[in-house]
Amino acid sequence: MGLSSVMQLQLPIFQDGTHLITRDLGYQRQDGQITYLQGVMPVFVHSIKDVASFQMISSQFYVNGIVKQMDIVRAFGIKPLALKRWVKKYREEGPGGFYIEKRGRPRKKKPDKVVENDLNRPAQTDRGSSKSERSREDAAASSGLGVGTTDSGMRVLGALGKIQQAPSEFHCCDDVCFGGVLFALPALLACGLLRHGSRFFALPAGYYSLTHILMLLAFMALYRIRSIEDLRYTAPGEWGKLLGLDRCPEAKTLREKLKILTSGNPEEGSAQLCEDWMEADAANVGTLYIDGHSR
């Protein structure tokens, strides 16, 4: 086998179980097979040892705009240059090009010149999404799990109990509604919004974590949204961008989370925060008490 053939052979790393490639695309390794899942629907299956099929489907996902270069690199531990070669072959020869047997000793050739193509477009990845683009994307998701549920893969894992909580991932966005509340985030954290949360409150495993719920309630108060019902008349996807999620919980879900949080002893958490504030500013303790209530 020639040196060029060895250099082009990039074996993917398939981990056991189910893993996400993007928010909507994942793969499952089971019984020697790799099954790719779009949401909960299988879209392609190949053997773990079938490297040609892996190269073909990875290239197809990229060319069709389903994944980005780093999604494949991060998920399977391959080199970016290898994916560029596969994409080039896919565009020039189609899916069948990965299954053509080469006979004889491969001839020596110079390394492929990396041309400027869809794999190298920093301008597009750096540009923030516009409000209209996000609105169209959120509306398109309504035919599935609901308006703004663009993270269907992670939501399915949460519903199946496969994750403790959805990770917060923040993306570049332009002109986000309610975005001004983020200026108050340092003050909220300094006041102890999340300081004792895990000590006095707990939520079962699922898509939304305790941090997500507490941050949303604080943002709602800052934006003068007086009730959970009023949240229904705002854009859920825009709130999601502030939380690092696809959307905020719907009113019914938020009420259920609050019922769980208030079923214990929430007064203890409030009392602990009051103690923290008084210890931090002992000289002004008197101003914190008006008619026997801490404010």
Side-chain angles (χ1 to χ4, degrees):
M1 183 179 291
L3 179 61
S4 60
S5 298
V6 175
M7 292 178 64
Q8 292 180 358
L9 183 60
Q10 294 290 322
L11 298 179
I13 301 174
F14 297 112
Q15 303 182 54
D16 291 327
T18 304
H19 301 273
L20 288 177
I21 303 173
T22 68
R23 288 192 167 196
D24 301 313
L25 180 70
Y27 75 89
Q28 182 181 54
R29 173 178 175 173
Q30 188 175 17
D31 300 329
Q33 299 286 324
I34 302 298
T35 302
Y36 298 88
L37 305 167
Q38 183 81 22
V40 295
M41 298 295 295
V43 294
F44 191 78
V45 180
H46 67 75
S47 168
I48 291 178
K49 298 181 180 180
D50 190 352
V51 179
S53 291
F54 166 74
Q55 295 175 351
M56 186 279 295
I57 194 62
S58 297
S59 304
Q60 187 178 91
F61 285 150
Y62 175 81
V63 171
N64 291 339
I66 298 174
V67 299
K68 297 180 181 179
Q69 176 185 9
M70 288 310 301
D71 294 330
I72 297 295
V73 171
R74 182 171 51 246
F76 301 105
I78 65 170
K79 295 180 179 180
L81 184 58
L83 179 59
K84 293 179 181 180
R85 293 195 183 105
W86 304 341
V87 169
K88 180 180 179 182
K89 175 183 287 189
Y90 185 91
R91 285 174 168 161
E92 293 178 351
E93 304 177 23
F98 294 88
Y99 303 100
I100 299 176
E101 294 185 3
K102 295 182 179 181
R103 300 179 179 180
R105 184 177 179 180
R107 61 182 181 180
K108 295 182 178 180
K109 63 178 183 178
K110 296 182 180 180
D112 294 333
K113 180 181 179 181
V114 181
V115 297
E116 188 71 19
N117 53 27
D118 289 343
L119 288 171
N120 296 311
R121 285 191 177 178
Q124 286 192 356
T125 58
D126 292 341
R127 184 182 67 84
S129 61
S130 67
K131 187 184 298 184
S132 59
E133 290 172 341
R134 296 192 300 273
S135 296
R136 288 193 297 268
E137 183 179 9
D138 291 347
S142 62
S143 60
L145 300 178
V147 175
T149 54
T150 57
D151 191 7
S152 58
M154 190 65 70
R155 287 184 175 275
V156 170
L157 293 179
L160 296 176
K162 298 293 186 180
I163 57 173
Q164 289 297 315
Q165 64 184 55
S168 292
E169 298 181 3
F170 296 92
H171 302 278
C172 186
C173 301
D174 295 334
D175 197 20
V176 179
C177 295
F178 329 114
V181 298
L182 292 178
F183 285 106
L185 183 57
L188 291 172
L189 298 178
C191 288
L193 176 64
L194 306 177
R195 189 179 304 153
H196 304 295
S198 59
R199 177 181 170 187
F200 297 101
F201 306 99
L203 286 175
Y207 187 79
Y208 297 106
S209 69
L210 175 62
T211 297
H212 295 145
I213 299 302
L214 292 178
M215 293 299 298
L216 176 60
L217 293 174
F219 290 160
M220 288 172 59
L222 289 172
Y223 205 72
R224 301 296 191 271
I225 297 179
R226 298 180 179 277
S227 68
I228 295 177
E229 191 69 18
D230 290 341
L231 190 64
R232 298 175 55 189
Y233 304 103
T234 61
E238 296 298 275
W239 285 113
K241 299 302 178 289
L242 303 182
L243 300 173
L245 304 174
D246 57 355
R247 60 158 291 165
C248 68
E250 60 180 7
K252 179 181 177 181
T253 301
L254 186 54
R255 280 194 293 266
E256 292 174 351
K257 300 294 184 184
L258 286 180
K259 184 177 180 180
I260 296 174
L261 294 178
T262 56
S263 61
N265 296 307
E267 298 83 1
E268 295 181 4
S270 177
Q272 182 61 61
L273 276 179
C274 290
E275 290 182 16
D276 294 347
W277 297 336
M278 289 187 289
E279 290 177 1
D281 193 5
N284 293 314
V285 169
T287 63
L288 298 176
Y289 282 91
I290 301 175
D291 292 335
H293 297 283
S294 299
R295 297 185 183 273

